[in-house]
Amino acid sequence: MTVNDDSFTNWKNREEIAESMIPMIGKLHREQDVTILLHSRSLVNKSVVSILKTHRFARQIAGAELSVTETMPFLRALTALDLGPSQIDIGMLAATHRADDRGLTVAEFTAEAVAGATGANKIDRREPRDVVLYGFGRIGRLVARLLIEKAGSGNGLRLRAVVVRGGGERDLVKRASLLRRDSVHGQFQGTITVDEENSTILANGNAVRVIYADDPTQVDYTAYGIKDAILIDNTGKWRDREGLSTHLRPGIDKVVLTAPGKGDVPNIVHGVNHDTIKPDERILSCASCTTNAIVPPLKAMADEYGVLRGHVETVHSFTNDQNLLDNYHKSERRGRSAPLNMVITETGAASAVSKALPDLKARITGSSVRVPVPDVSIAILNLQLARETTREDVLDHLREVSLTSPLKRQIDFISAPDAVSSDFIGSRHASIVDAGALKVEDDNAILYLWYDNEFGYSCQVVRVVQHVSGVEYPTYPAPEA
């Protein structure tokens, strides 16, 4: 048998194993509200090839490819346990078991590692929490996709309605079409039908009512059977407490803004300061996409090395706020054609750092350049550290943070030497450390951080909503503090 024959046989064997994983993963998700992860990447509703590619990607961050032959025994062990709602990372189970020297079997080790999700320790499955989207633009539609995707178990968050301004002829059909097809993020994963008579979009069985209103005060959500809902404002029209409070109508319990909040509105970056949200807080902000991209790695660096000062330069994809062709704009430069120019503009991300990291005393400055790409940006974070270090040490630290720390859902790590911006479309992390571009000299470190400013940010928004709604389930094995 030739090497090619050996490789093909090995591939077919791994395909067969991955195929047998799918019903196990699906059953755990539907019946027990357990989400199976692989190094923080969900395997729910993934194809055979996607499962294999996710395993192979582990070599980028862990240094060695992970095989389904290694993770399958842990998945099988999980199916034999009486699990409660949780997220379980079989990649981490395999890695920690490999490092354990007690001689435990896979079944014994797995039962011990997820003990917090079994027996008397199990948490109760939550009743679905209603969610309303106010606005249905780029972020609104991506958040809708994520909410529909995560509704598979029948628990957690339930998208009940979308509020938009009144449109013209076939408005509902056009909005459904924009949800179904996206030029950047591809096709919606599932089926979408339109019920114009009842002003409803049916997406993977989820009935989403489209409510037409020109102002928040025009809507009584209880008239649509909506109660105790979390409203996500994607318009950015209101950014202070007074304006956002107009959303607190009958049926709405909390308001989450997908833009930087002003005044005393808390700016939350999930993974960094979401645990500071007060239970009685009804209005909060998820800050900006760039703030979400820079704050987690900034915290990781400050915790390990200390940070005296820093500057962030963002090279940002163009947005709907810019003009396609030169035309009047209230901003000095944003009126110039977005697809044809690099446009210097401002960013509030640097000043927003203090809200998310109040203990960081370092002065962080920032600026931004908009460039002619439709999605994915890069933040160049230039830091003066409190002590000298080496490039190898910083790489090891950030790799470990991306794998095992509480920030592993926010920070990803890639060592591919040929990576470019489009490779990160669809990334669910707040930012991705580009190992090849990292520069360190004595007490100076320059981090290059890719981020999908649309999808990655939308994932952060959903995580905040899950947290405040009480449906953010624990992850096992528990990340290292």
Side-chain angles (χ1 to χ4, degrees):
M1 184 175 288
T2 66
V3 172
N4 286 341
D5 289 338
D6 283 341
S7 298
F8 185 68
T9 300
N10 179 264
W11 171 261
K12 299 303 288 185
N13 289 339
R14 286 185 289 142
E15 267 190 329
E16 184 178 357
I17 294 171
E19 193 173 66
S20 64
M21 284 179 154
I22 293 174
M24 297 182 195
I25 294 167
K27 187 175 181 180
L28 284 168
H29 186 61
R30 286 190 307 274
E31 297 184 3
Q32 294 168 269
D33 218 358
V34 174
T35 300
I36 299 299
L37 309 174
L38 187 85
H39 287 315
S40 302
R41 290 165 169 77
S42 173
L43 296 183
V44 176
N45 291 329
K46 294 296 187 289
S47 67
V48 168
V49 172
S50 291
I51 290 173
L52 292 174
K53 285 182 69 175
T54 304
H55 277 75
R56 182 168 174 76
F57 186 79
R59 68 178 179 156
Q60 292 283 356
I61 48 180
E65 186 171 343
L66 187 64
S67 172
V68 288
T69 60
E70 297 175 76
T71 57
M72 179 58 157
F74 295 93
L75 179 60
R76 192 177 288 114
L78 290 172
T79 63
L81 298 173
D82 180 23
L83 294 166
S86 55
Q87 300 185 102
I88 301 177
D89 194 319
I90 57 175
M92 287 304 299
L93 279 175
T96 51
H97 179 254
R98 193 183 306 121
D100 190 85
D101 59 2
R102 293 175 295 164
L104 298 178
T105 66
V106 166
E108 291 168 341
F109 183 85
T110 301
E112 178 184 272
V114 302
T118 60
N121 296 321
K122 286 196 304 183
I123 61 175
D124 295 330
R125 298 179 76 171
R126 307 286 196 255
E127 287 297 314
R129 185 73 177 268
D130 290 351
V131 177
V132 172
L133 296 178
Y134 198 96
F136 207 44
R138 297 298 300 152
I139 300 301
R141 291 194 297 273
L142 291 177
V143 169
R145 285 188 174 201
L146 286 163
L147 292 172
I148 293 164
E149 170 194 300
K150 294 178 182 297
S153 64
N155 292 274
L157 303 174
R158 180 171 59 171
L159 178 59
R160 294 294 307 281
V162 173
V163 183
V164 294
R165 290 193 297 268
E169 185 181 356
R170 291 174 59 79
D171 180 89
L172 192 66
V173 172
K174 292 174 182 176
R175 293 186 188 278
S177 179
L178 286 170
L179 179 62
R180 182 183 292 114
R181 302 179 184 89
D182 190 288
S183 300
V184 173
H185 299 283
Q187 296 276 349
F188 174 80
Q189 295 301 304
T191 62
I192 291 177
T193 57
V194 176
D195 181 353
E196 289 190 88
E197 183 178 347
N198 294 300
S199 191
T200 298
I201 296 173
L202 291 165
N204 290 356
N206 296 268
V208 182
R209 183 67 180 258
V210 178
I211 301 170
Y212 293 97
D214 294 324
D215 187 86
T217 60
Q218 297 177 355
V219 188
D220 177 355
Y221 294 95
T222 60
Y224 302 95
I226 296 169
K227 61 179 182 179
D228 195 32
I230 298 173
L231 182 144
I232 305 174
D233 184 331
N234 306 290
T235 67
K237 184 176 181 180
W238 305 275
R239 292 173 58 185
D240 59 12
R241 187 172 295 275
E242 181 182 2
L244 292 168
S245 293
T246 60
H247 286 302
L248 295 174
R249 305 282 298 154
I252 302 300
D253 179 53
K254 295 180 186 293
V255 178
V256 175
L257 171 66
T258 62
K262 294 183 176 181
D264 67 342
V265 174
N267 280 255
I268 303 301
V269 175
H270 190 275
V272 174
N273 68 337
H274 66 277
D275 55 355
T276 66
I277 301 172
K278 298 176 181 177
D280 60 350
E281 179 60 76
R282 302 189 70 188
I283 294 174
L284 53 92
S285 156
C286 290
S288 71
C289 57
T290 301
T291 303
N292 276 264
I294 66 173
V295 165
L298 181 56
K299 174 176 169 52
M301 293 297 288
D303 287 349
E304 180 68 15
Y305 304 103
V307 172
L308 301 181
R309 62 175 175 267
H311 176 81
V312 61
E313 189 78 32
T314 69
V315 182
H316 199 290
S317 58
F318 63 78
T319 67
N320 273 331
D321 177 64
Q322 297 171 253
N323 292 332
L324 286 175
L325 295 172
D326 289 2
N327 207 345
Y328 174 80
H329 194 290
K330 63 181 180 180
S331 174
E332 295 293 340
R333 303 182 201 245
R334 292 195 188 190
R336 301 298 298 277
S337 173
L340 299 178
N341 293 289
M342 293 189 292
V343 179
I344 298 174
T345 187
E346 70 285 342
T347 176
S351 59
V353 167
S354 60
K355 281 194 170 186
L357 289 174
D359 293 336
L360 182 70
K361 303 308 178 186
R363 182 169 181 262
I364 307 295
T365 58
S367 53
S368 180
V369 179
R370 295 286 179 93
V371 294
V373 294
D375 187 32
V376 180
S377 305
I378 190 167
I380 305 168
L381 189 58
N382 193 333
L383 303 174
Q384 182 185 356
L385 307 177
R387 65 178 175 89
E388 294 186 358
T389 184
T390 65
R391 185 174 185 275
E392 291 71 25
D393 189 74
V394 174
L395 281 175
D396 288 343
H397 172 60
L398 292 175
R399 181 187 291 109
E400 192 62 27
V401 166
S402 75
L403 283 171
T404 64
S405 83
L407 291 172
K408 65 180 184 178
R409 297 172 73 191
Q410 283 70 45
I411 300 176
D412 203 2
F413 186 95
I414 188 167
S415 57
D418 55 351
V420 294
S421 62
S422 61
D423 295 329
F424 305 101
I425 293 175
S427 169
R428 296 180 181 234
H429 288 78
S431 61
I432 306 100
V433 176
D434 191 312
L438 175 74
K439 292 174 172 42
V440 178
E441 185 175 349
D442 300 329
D443 63 349
N444 177 245
I446 305 175
L447 280 62
Y448 288 74
L449 307 165
W450 298 101
Y451 59 110
D452 185 328
N453 49 277
E454 295 186 333
F455 198 73
Y457 176 67
S458 296
C459 290
Q460 283 287 87
V461 171
V462 171
R463 288 170 190 139
V464 170
V465 174
Q466 287 177 315
H467 178 75
V468 298
S469 67
V471 297
E472 186 179 40
Y473 297 139
T475 300
Y476 300 95
E480 297 177 4

